[in-house]
Amino acid sequence: MIERSSVEIAGRMIANAKHAVFFTGAGISAESGIPTFRGEDGLWKKYDPEEVASIWGFRRNPRAFWEFSFALRNKLFAEPNPAHYAIAELEEMGIVKAVITQNIDMLHQRAGSKKVLELHGSMSKLDCLECKKEYDWGDYIEEFNREEVPRCKVCGSWFVKPRVVLFGEPLPRDVLEQAIEESRMADVFVVVGSSLVVYPAAELPYIAKSCGAKMILVNSEPTVADHIFDVKLYGKAGEILPQISKIVKEMKQKS
Ligand code: BV8
Ligand code: ZN
């Protein structure tokens, strides 16, 4: 059980922040029913990331990527959980200035967050790698529901790829640059639900720290970067973040 005082300390830090930034990973969506990647029942225990989530794996065999995606279909039909809503509330209160996410599930936007930087893209757009035709997710929802590998509707290619950043692919430059800028400007930087092992995303908490941010971690287990955090709250994001948002609201009402 988390010490009430640590949640209070985190709540106070965030309430007094001028530019709070949240950085999230798969762990924040775990309570929405979406499996995480690492940890005892993580996806990388069942699937080989090189085969199903790398650009060379996709070019070798797009079916493996799509079968991985079909298996994760609930990613696209999941609902935001109280952790997503708590962050959206803190943005509404003018405290959170940006959410930097590694997730592709768009749950932050669906919970009401406005400034969301998707470092690893999302499934909302797809591109044919051969003829460069651009598609919306809606163009392939039928094939996805029938678990058919999408073919390009123009050139017939099997290499229709969602704008999700796979291993070996560069992150979208403009999004990464904005995320670096937000990390530099943050006076409070909150990491939620990430093992902080995937780069260059995992660099951002270190940038925030080096630029003087107060660092808060909300995660169900320790991470490789625990030494850079001022407050570490080990537990479920869906339970801890609403507590923090409640403390911030109470403090704002008193001030
Ligand atoms: C790049 C997309 C360069 C699909 C993902 C060798 C060869 C090639 C590249 C590399 C290499 N070695 C290193 C690299 C770089 C590589 C990398 O960092 N690899 C790591 C594994 C060593 N990075 C890349 O390849 C990146 N691109 O470097 O390009 C380049 C430059 C120019 C030109 C060409 C190339 C691209 C990285 C992005 C890869 N895409 N997924 C999809 O998302 O479906 S990776 C995947 O990992 C997801 O994006 C995910 O977001 C990300 C990070 O994982 P986490 O979000 O942290 O999730 P995880 O499961 O690990 O942790 C969850 C945590 O939550 C746990 O700690 C758990 O305890 C906690 N938790 C669980 N439940 C809860 C909870 N906490 C709170 N509450 C709960 N309820
Ligand atoms: Zn095409």
Side-chain angles (χ1 to χ4, degrees):
M1 185 52 192
I2 306 274
E3 290 265 305
R4 177 113 186 107
S5 59
S6 318
V7 177
E8 297 261 341
I9 292 168
R12 208 172 293 283
M13 273 182 184
I14 294 169
N16 296 327
K18 297 279 170 296
H19 198 106
V21 172
F22 274 68
F23 173 96
T24 66
I28 197 170
S29 299
E31 290 157 88
S32 297
I34 299 179
T36 58
F37 293 91
R38 296 163 190 89
E40 65 285 350
D41 52 359
L43 285 162
W44 296 155
K45 282 267 183 317
K46 275 184 277 183
Y47 294 92
D48 170 5
E50 300 239 338
E51 199 207 345
V52 302
S54 76
I55 187 60
W56 55 86
F58 183 86
R59 284 193 180 285
R60 208 173 30 233
N61 173 16
R63 172 172 293 283
F65 165 82
W66 283 109
E67 278 165 6
F68 170 63
S69 304
F70 297 149
L72 278 180
R73 59 191 311 109
N74 57 5
K75 248 189 206 251
L76 301 160
F77 305 107
E79 290 301 320
N81 68 59
H84 296 102
Y85 288 112
I87 296 174
E89 273 172 16
L90 289 166
E91 183 187 46
E92 187 63 29
M93 287 188 241
I95 292 170
V96 169
K97 303 298 183 196
V99 183
I100 302 170
T101 189
Q102 301 170 92
N103 301 339
I104 66 169
D105 55 34
M106 298 184 270
L107 292 184
H108 283 298
Q109 294 93 321
R110 291 189 40 214
S113 287
K114 301 277 178 298
K115 175 102 181 198
V116 181
L117 299 171
E118 291 176 313
L119 294 175
H120 295 160
S122 77
M123 298 287 267
S124 58
K125 295 265 182 216
L126 304 95
D127 302 287
C128 172
L129 302 186
E130 313 251 352
C131 73
K132 310 296 174 217
K133 174 85 175 98
E134 286 188 14
Y135 292 100
D136 287 325
W137 178 244
D139 297 327
Y140 283 103
I141 193 89
E142 309 267 305
E143 284 88 334
F144 191 78
N145 285 330
R146 289 198 301 268
E147 298 205 353
E148 283 167 17
V149 177
R151 282 193 85 167
C152 178
K153 301 179 193 292
V154 170
C155 75
S157 163
W158 290 105
F159 297 101
V160 177
K161 178 184 161 300
R163 264 183 221 163
V164 165
V165 179
L166 300 182
F167 285 111
E169 279 196 294
L171 276 58
R173 175 179 294 286
D174 55 330
V175 177
L176 183 55
E177 279 169 2
Q178 283 182 67
I180 291 169
E181 190 47 34
E182 286 296 336
S183 303
R184 285 214 180 98
M185 286 161 56
D187 57 347
V188 174
F189 195 87
V190 190
V191 171
V192 184
S194 183
S195 58
L196 297 176
V197 296
V198 172
Y199 282 82
E203 198 61 48
L204 295 171
Y206 295 93
I207 292 175
K209 173 79 175 177
S210 67
C211 292
K214 290 202 187 82
M215 304 294 292
I216 297 169
L217 174 72
V218 177
N219 208 56
S220 51
E221 62 195 351
T223 73
V224 292
D226 274 27
H227 58 285
I228 69 169
F229 290 95
D230 302 294
V231 181
K232 293 180 280 277
L233 306 172
Y234 297 121
K236 288 178 179 276
E239 291 164 11
I240 297 169
L241 291 191
Q243 288 174 35
I244 289 179
S245 179
K246 187 163 167 288
I247 290 167
V248 172
K249 243 181 280 182
E250 283 161 4
M251 285 183 68
K252 287 292 169 198
Q253 277 151 8
K254 278 187 207 141
S255 62

